[in-house]
C-alpha cells in the first residue's frame, strides 16, 4: 500500500486544502487526474508520497 498527500491552493480561497489517498502505487499524472489538479480553479499544488513515515515531494 502507498500513501499520498496533496496540498492544494484553490483560486480565491485563503486556506490550503489537504487530502490523502491510500492505495496502489500511482504516478504523478494519475494523482493530478484523481484530485483534478489541472483544473482552472487550482492555483498551485504540492504532491507527496509518504515513505517510511516521511513526506517526500513528488
Amino acid at each position: 500500500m502507498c500513501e499520498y498527500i496533496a496540498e492544494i491552493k484553490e483560486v480565491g480561497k485563503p486556506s490550503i486544502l489537504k487530502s490523502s489517498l491510500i492505495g496502489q502505487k500511482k504516478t504523478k499524472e494519475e494523482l493530478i487526474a484523481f484530485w483534478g489538479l489541472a483544473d482552472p480553479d487550482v492555483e498551485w499544488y504540492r504532491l507527496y508520497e509518504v515513505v517510511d513515515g516521511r513526506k517526500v515531494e513528488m
Side-chain angles (χ1 to χ4, degrees):
M1 297 298 265
C2 296
E3 181 178 0
Y4 301 97
I5 298 172
E7 295 176 353
I8 306 163
K9 172 66 173 74
E10 291 183 312
V11 175
K13 305 266 175 115
S15 59
I16 296 170
L17 299 173
K18 294 183 182 177
S19 181
S20 64
L21 173 68
I22 297 174
Q24 296 180 336
K25 185 80 171 164
K26 303 273 188 212
T27 65
K28 185 174 182 178
E29 291 75 22
E30 289 173 317
L31 294 170
I32 290 168
F34 176 79
W35 275 302
L37 302 176
D39 293 349
D41 63 331
V42 175
E43 188 172 328
W44 57 261
Y45 62 88
R46 290 188 188 102
L47 293 174
Y48 301 93
E49 183 173 1
V50 177
V51 179
D52 296 327
R54 294 182 22 209
K55 288 188 338 184
V56 178
E57 191 162 1
M58 296 179 73

